[in-house]
Amino acid sequence: MYGLLLLLHILGATIWTGGHIVLASIILPRALQERSPERLLEFESRFEKIGMPALIVQIVTGLMLAHRLVPNINQWFDMSNPLAHGIAAKLTLLALTFGFALNARLRVIPSLSQDTLPTMAWHIFPVTLFSILFVTVGVAFRTGWFY
């Protein structure tokens, strides 16, 4: 079961992080250069179909993997336990990602225009960084950096 959870988690991370790296490094610069919110909206509508399920898979498998490592959920934020550092880091990154995504979905995307493209960029870059940090923390678990 552990191997399957880890595989699904890594596949979700590959899709989520890879998509955001493509968005931040290829789609967004072109959209800003061309002042084309349509480029972002087109990518977002396509990526959302695979990106959101990938994120959901990551959340579910991540919680299950965390529970396998530290079965007592109350200890997930006990910083005297080195494993709690990674779990707390991932949960913090998840909360930040959720906050930026919710703000973008409710405030920025409905009024996305040539003038608001830079505001969207200020949402895309942090979420991309958070996704890379998610992977970094995951690698830290597998390599023993936390314990």
Side-chain angles (χ1 to χ4, degrees):
M1 183 68 165
Y2 174 76
L4 179 60
L5 287 175
L6 186 59
L7 174 63
L8 291 173
H9 195 69
I10 291 170
L11 287 174
T14 301
I15 294 166
W16 181 256
T17 304
H20 279 86
I21 290 171
V22 168
L23 175 60
S25 65
I26 297 171
I27 306 299
L28 179 61
R30 186 172 292 155
L32 290 169
Q33 181 183 25
E34 296 172 2
R35 298 182 47 85
S36 172
E38 294 79 23
R39 281 205 182 270
L40 287 182
L41 293 172
E42 179 184 337
F43 179 86
E44 187 266 340
S45 70
R46 289 182 178 173
F47 179 65
E48 190 173 74
K49 290 177 180 75
I50 190 170
M52 291 312 293
L55 181 60
I56 291 167
V57 166
Q58 279 185 278
I59 292 168
V60 171
T61 58
L63 292 171
M64 293 171 78
L65 289 165
H67 190 263
R68 286 178 63 96
L69 279 173
V70 182
N72 184 342
I73 295 172
N74 293 329
Q75 292 180 0
W76 286 7
F77 293 96
D78 177 3
M79 293 303 121
S80 67
N81 179 353
L83 291 174
H85 298 175
I87 293 170
K90 284 216 173 199
L91 291 172
T92 300
L93 288 167
L94 179 59
L96 289 168
T97 298
F98 181 76
F100 273 86
L102 188 63
N103 187 52
R105 172 63 60 199
L106 297 178
R107 192 179 66 81
V108 180
I109 291 174
S111 61
L112 190 61
S113 68
Q114 290 180 349
D115 296 331
T116 60
L117 275 173
T119 302
M120 189 63 185
W122 283 106
H123 284 73
I124 291 169
F125 286 127
V127 171
T128 302
L129 176 62
F130 300 154
S131 70
I132 292 168
L133 290 173
F134 269 124
V135 172
T136 303
V137 173
V139 168
F141 271 120
R142 295 302 304 147
T143 59
W145 291 350
F146 286 115
Y147 43 94

